[in-house]
Amino acid sequence: MMAAAADLESSLELSLTGSGALPGGLPPARSRIFKIIVIGDSNVGKTCLTYRFCAGRFPQRTEATIGVDFRERAVTIDGERIKIQLWDTAGQERFRKSMVQHYYRNVHAVVFVYDMTNIASFHSLPSWIEECKQHLLANDIPRILVGNKCDLRSAIQVPTDLAQKFADTHSMPLFETSAKNPNDNDHVEAIFMTLAHKLKSHKPLMLSQPPDHDEIRIKPEPKPAMTCWC
Amino acid sequence: MARWSPPRNGGGGHDFDFKKKRKVEEIYQALNSDPIDVAALRRMAISEGGLLMDEIRCKVWPKLLSVNTDDLPPLPGKELREDNKDYQQVLLDVRRSLRRFPPGMPDDQREGLQEELIDIILHVLKRNPQLHYYQGYHDIVVTFLLVVGDRLATALVEKLSTHHLRDFMDPTMDNTKHILNYLMPIIDQVNPEVHDFMQSAEVGTIFALSWLITWFGHVLSDFRHVVRLYDFFLACHPLMPIYFAAVIVLHRQQEVLDCECDMASVHHLLSQIPQDLPYESLISKAGDLFVQFPPSKLAREAAQQQAERTAASTFKDFELASVQQRPDTVLRQRFGEQPRGEERTKSILTKPRTNRFVKLAVMGLTVALGAAALAVVKSALEWAPKFELQIFP
Ligand SMILES: Nc1nc2c(ncn2[C@@H]2O[C@H](COP(=O)(O)OP(=O)(O)OP(=O)(O)O)[C@@H](O)[C@H]2O)c(=O)[nH]1
Ligand SMILES: [Mg+2]
């Protein structure tokens, strides 16, 4: 058998290492760090989205994520250097239960991802949200909902209004995007940057919001009924 | 029984030096001996260079797993895909597994192999409803497919899945987590400083998850390294991959200690496995560690869980079963025919696990193969006393 010599160019990890240290950054210890966990079903594009944000392009190929992968990128917001750490998790259900918990600790924000061309991945969201609630101590950490693969127009299964309704029910902003679309260069970037801005405007240390108008919602809500979307 | 002879030009490499040539001869000798000298094959699979060539692997891997190559089950039909709960996930994972195939391979050939890969996985799952697919299983199966072809791969993978990989294929990953819990105690035994550093970084052990459950197939890009490790793991105790994981961490101890002491930095560092690891010396170190700190010693430190269902414990049954199900049942038949011979054997086996055997092993093997081989000898003695006679003929 011929050796499958690593095609280094397409190796996710190597190119990420390169992009990890952006030039001109302050020593890492100085920057504030925002930890964001990215969750959702297998194949919705979590790896592609995080890669796109951290490396600036759609990866040529991805592989199934086993366990948890880590990517980071340094950004500047209002003159402050901030490190955004993305924890890209495995989508297969068996990994969530016992493996991923560890990574929910101390996260500052959660990104839920579904695949706009796969209604099942949308239907899984309530269980992801539920799971997230169980692992997170704070109830008020910022969460956003991302519908991915909007470039596959003819294959869309999750209509925007449906997704919007769901997002509203859970008080999350909704973004429909594509990790792939080359014409839409800044969109994925904008999503994560929006989140980073939101985090920055939180209290610097804990990054947790004092209870505000959302207070009523902090009580555990009844599970959203699946039927309302079907 | 068919006699195999070594390939003429040893796989065509010009660097096929004298040492390798001799090893090839020894391997064929073990294969041709009657009964087949499985213990010697295990030693060859562990010692420097492993089994050297895929041609040899095709013959030896089945022996290490005690799979009878004369009686392979028929390949499945397409109906497998119809109502299989794992089909979708398998499909998604196999489609994305392009990196596992040799870079120069034409697309249509690769696509054919990907179809075979799906079939093998579904076939094994269907025949063993107690097994559950996990992302990463496909990385293991593809290695077998590429080395031995679909028919034999199906048989080997099935055996492996019900033994070495059994824990990973539970409905939940609790047992897998339990096995990962061995990692830190091993590191602690060798370098407490690294251990403490990692503990205070709270890095956890998930960085090693894909190493463990894919036998490093997911993270190493050079296929030669992958198969070399598979030689090693197939010849050893099912917990050996976790010792190897520990050895990799320890090999990078300075980098670890120089790292920022937080979860992200350490996880990031460790999960990027260097591609130029000194595999042979790491294998030998893993063997050493296994002998020095066998799982039984570490068990208390790894979270207390009943060990009954772990692959580690089924290994014993497996080894014993191997003896009984050996394709070449010659040995047993001979025992059956010659009760006196059997009695004589028994007396050797029951009473004196004489030092002579062990000493021979220590002296002979450490000199010839490095201490890694000790692990296997020790394993063989511990788990399959019936092998004793074959190990030291
Ligand atoms: N057309 C299109 N394809 C995409 C997009 N994002 C991801 N993909 C494809 O979707 C597949 C899955 O992407 P991944 O990023 O590996 O999915 P994942 O969510 O990380 O999956 P797991 O690691 O299994 O949990 C890949 O084949 C990608 O090429 C997108 O925006 N548009
Ligand atoms: Mg992924």
Side-chain angles (χ1 to χ4, degrees):
Chain A
M1 175 55 55
M2 247 189 64
D7 52 335
L8 297 182
E9 293 242 309
S10 70
S11 157
L12 284 187
E13 309 308 338
L14 280 176
S15 35
L16 281 176
T17 315
S19 73
L22 291 181
L26 290 172
R30 291 283 193 82
S31 343
R32 254 202 299 169
I33 295 172
F34 294 161
K35 285 173 137 189
I36 301 171
I37 190 167
V38 181
I39 59 185
D41 276 7
S42 181
N43 207 55
V44 297
K46 300 178 296 295
T47 299
C48 290
L49 283 167
T50 54
Y51 186 89
R52 174 95 188 227
F53 178 68
C54 293
R57 60 186 172 84
F58 186 69
Q60 272 181 0
R61 46 177 89 157
T62 57
E63 290 186 82
T65 304
I66 298 173
V68 180
D69 281 341
F70 168 83
R71 308 198 161 79
E72 74 179 350
R73 180 177 151 189
V75 297
T76 306
I77 299 177
D78 305 333
E80 185 188 349
R81 291 294 280 181
I82 287 172
K83 251 205 252 177
I84 299 185
Q85 294 186 338
L86 300 179
W87 294 90
D88 170 24
T89 62
Q92 195 189 9
E93 177 157 4
R94 63 197 346 271
F95 288 103
R96 327 177 181 167
K97 295 275 184 288
S98 43
M99 295 295 168
V100 176
Q101 295 154 335
H102 188 68
Y103 298 87
Y104 277 98
R105 277 195 298 170
N106 312 321
V107 299
H108 302 127
V110 182
V111 176
F112 296 96
V113 186
Y114 67 94
D115 175 351
M116 294 172 68
T117 68
N118 177 356
I119 191 90
S121 72
F122 182 71
H123 285 162
S124 297
L125 289 170
S127 70
W128 283 113
I129 291 172
E130 188 50 42
E131 188 139 310
C132 183
K133 265 190 200 146
Q134 283 167 17
H135 292 307
L136 291 174
L137 295 175
N139 234 338
D140 59 345
I141 72 162
R143 300 170 310 163
I144 64 170
L145 182 59
V146 173
N148 188 35
K149 309 196 189 181
C150 74
D151 57 299
L152 301 172
R153 283 173 199 287
S154 57
I156 302 288
Q157 290 183 358
V158 185
T160 303
D161 53 349
L162 186 61
Q164 189 60 60
K165 206 165 125 196
F166 180 79
D168 290 346
T169 317
H170 292 274
S171 315
M172 292 189 269
L174 169 72
F175 300 88
E176 292 184 332
T177 193
S178 160
K180 188 174 188 178
N181 193 346
N183 307 320
D184 208 3
N185 234 343
D186 301 325
H187 198 228
V188 172
E189 167 112 2
I191 293 171
F192 286 102
M193 289 306 280
T194 306
L195 197 53
H197 272 100
K198 178 144 167 95
L199 287 171
K200 191 171 185 309
S201 63
H202 274 53
K203 283 265 162 60
L205 278 180
M206 290 305 296
L207 288 156
S208 64
Q209 238 168 354
D212 53 12
H213 61 278
D214 279 349
E215 204 171 9
I216 314 144
R217 282 203 328 101
I218 289 175
K219 282 195 200 158
E221 299 167 76
K223 252 196 193 159
M226 293 285 287
T227 47
C228 72
W229 323 320
C230 304
Chain B
M1 190 195 309
R3 281 188 74 83
W4 288 308
S5 37
R8 292 274 138 168
N9 66 350
H14 15 262
D15 63 337
F16 205 78
D17 57 22
F18 178 71
K19 228 162 106 192
K20 280 187 189 163
K21 221 173 189 167
R22 214 181 62 189
K23 188 168 185 183
V24 172
E25 272 160 24
E26 281 178 272
I27 293 172
Y28 279 91
Q29 206 171 10
L31 278 170
N32 287 325
S33 72
D34 185 14
I36 290 180
D37 190 349
V38 178
L41 294 176
R42 280 185 198 282
R43 290 200 302 268
M44 301 293 157
I46 295 170
S47 65
E48 190 179 348
L51 296 173
L52 306 170
M53 294 179 280
D54 286 352
E55 196 179 335
I56 293 180
R57 294 188 171 99
C58 290
K59 299 184 178 103
V60 177
W61 282 4
K63 304 296 173 229
L64 296 179
L65 285 169
S66 189
V67 164
N68 184 354
T69 49
D70 297 332
D71 184 25
L72 296 177
L75 282 176
K78 292 289 168 204
E79 74 284 351
L80 263 180
R81 306 194 177 193
E82 266 143 36
D83 54 9
N84 188 301
K85 67 175 166 51
D86 293 306
Y87 176 52
Q88 279 310 319
Q89 188 69 58
V90 173
L91 188 67
L92 293 174
D93 295 344
V94 170
R95 283 215 180 120
R96 285 182 290 172
S97 67
L98 305 181
R99 269 180 71 196
R100 301 279 86 84
F101 296 88
M105 182 180 278
D107 284 355
D108 52 347
Q109 190 187 350
R110 192 206 63 232
E111 284 158 16
L113 286 167
Q114 284 178 301
E115 291 302 309
E116 291 177 9
L117 181 54
I118 295 173
D119 284 339
I120 297 172
I121 294 173
L122 296 181
H123 184 63
V124 172
L125 292 172
K126 181 161 185 192
R127 284 166 51 104
N128 301 274
Q130 79 281 16
L131 301 181
H132 299 263
Y133 176 75
Y134 60 89
Q135 291 186 293
Y137 183 69
H138 66 297
D139 288 314
I140 290 200
V141 181
V142 74
T143 308
F144 283 89
L145 174 62
L146 291 175
V147 173
V148 304
D150 59 345
R151 192 100 191 274
L152 186 49
T154 308
L156 298 186
V157 165
E158 180 162 19
K159 192 65 163 271
L160 196 71
S161 305
T162 49
H163 293 91
H164 296 66
L165 309 179
R166 180 63 191 81
D167 292 323
F168 311 146
M169 307 192 75
D170 269 349
T172 72
M173 302 208 79
D174 292 345
N175 269 334
T176 305
K177 209 168 154 187
H178 175 61
I179 293 174
L180 280 172
N181 286 344
Y182 279 83
L183 182 63
M184 294 308 289
I186 300 172
I187 293 172
D188 195 24
Q189 298 288 339
V190 182
N191 190 332
E193 193 190 355
V194 171
H195 170 268
D196 295 350
F197 183 90
M198 289 171 69
Q199 290 293 24
S200 42
E202 300 190 332
V203 64
T205 50
I206 304 299
F207 67 85
L209 174 65
S210 69
W211 304 356
L212 176 69
I213 66 180
T214 71
W215 279 11
F216 297 83
H218 187 76
V219 288
L220 299 182
S221 35
D222 190 330
F223 195 69
R224 287 171 305 183
H225 299 151
V226 176
V227 290
R228 170 66 189 101
L229 283 181
Y230 278 42
D231 292 340
F232 177 49
F233 295 147
L234 283 169
C236 291
H237 189 280
L239 284 176
M240 190 55 87
I242 201 74
Y243 285 81
F244 195 77
V247 163
I248 291 183
V249 174
L250 291 163
H251 174 69
R252 308 181 71 194
Q253 51 189 314
Q254 201 49 54
E255 282 174 89
V256 173
L257 294 172
D258 291 344
C259 189
E260 253 184 271
C261 188
D262 71 327
M263 177 167 97
S265 311
V266 183
H267 178 102
H268 189 54
L269 174 81
L270 288 175
S271 57
Q272 322 263 273
I273 209 162
Q275 296 294 322
D276 57 349
L277 292 169
Y279 292 92
E280 295 301 335
S281 82
L282 295 184
I283 283 173
S284 141
K285 280 192 188 122
D288 282 344
L289 284 187
F290 188 91
V291 175
Q292 271 183 281
F293 314 111
S296 54
K297 266 197 188 166
L298 298 171
R300 225 177 317 141
E301 294 179 57
Q304 72 292 49
Q305 258 196 30
Q306 75 278 50
E308 282 101 62
R309 277 160 59 228
T310 66
S313 57
T314 61
F315 187 64
K316 183 172 183 175
D317 311 335
F318 173 56
E319 282 287 307
L320 291 173
S322 313
V323 177
Q324 281 138 27
Q325 294 165 11
R326 287 161 62 81
D328 43 334
T329 41
V330 188
L331 183 66
R332 252 173 78 210
Q333 281 166 6
R334 200 167 35 186
F335 283 171
E337 284 159 15
Q338 302 174 350
R340 272 170 56 218
E342 192 184 11
E343 256 184 80
R344 204 188 62 216
T345 313
K346 254 188 200 153
S347 68
I348 297 174
L349 289 175
T350 45
K351 173 74 202 36
R353 151 104 31 115
T354 42
N355 291 341
R356 199 164 63 86
F357 287 144
V358 180
K359 268 187 197 149
L360 265 176
V362 174
M363 284 157 32
L365 295 176
T366 40
V367 173
L369 311 168
L374 280 180
V376 96
V377 171
K378 195 159 181 286
S379 315
L381 291 176
E382 259 180 70
W383 296 310
K386 286 184 188 171
F387 271 178
E388 267 179 88
L389 289 178
Q390 295 158 52
I391 298 173
F392 312 110

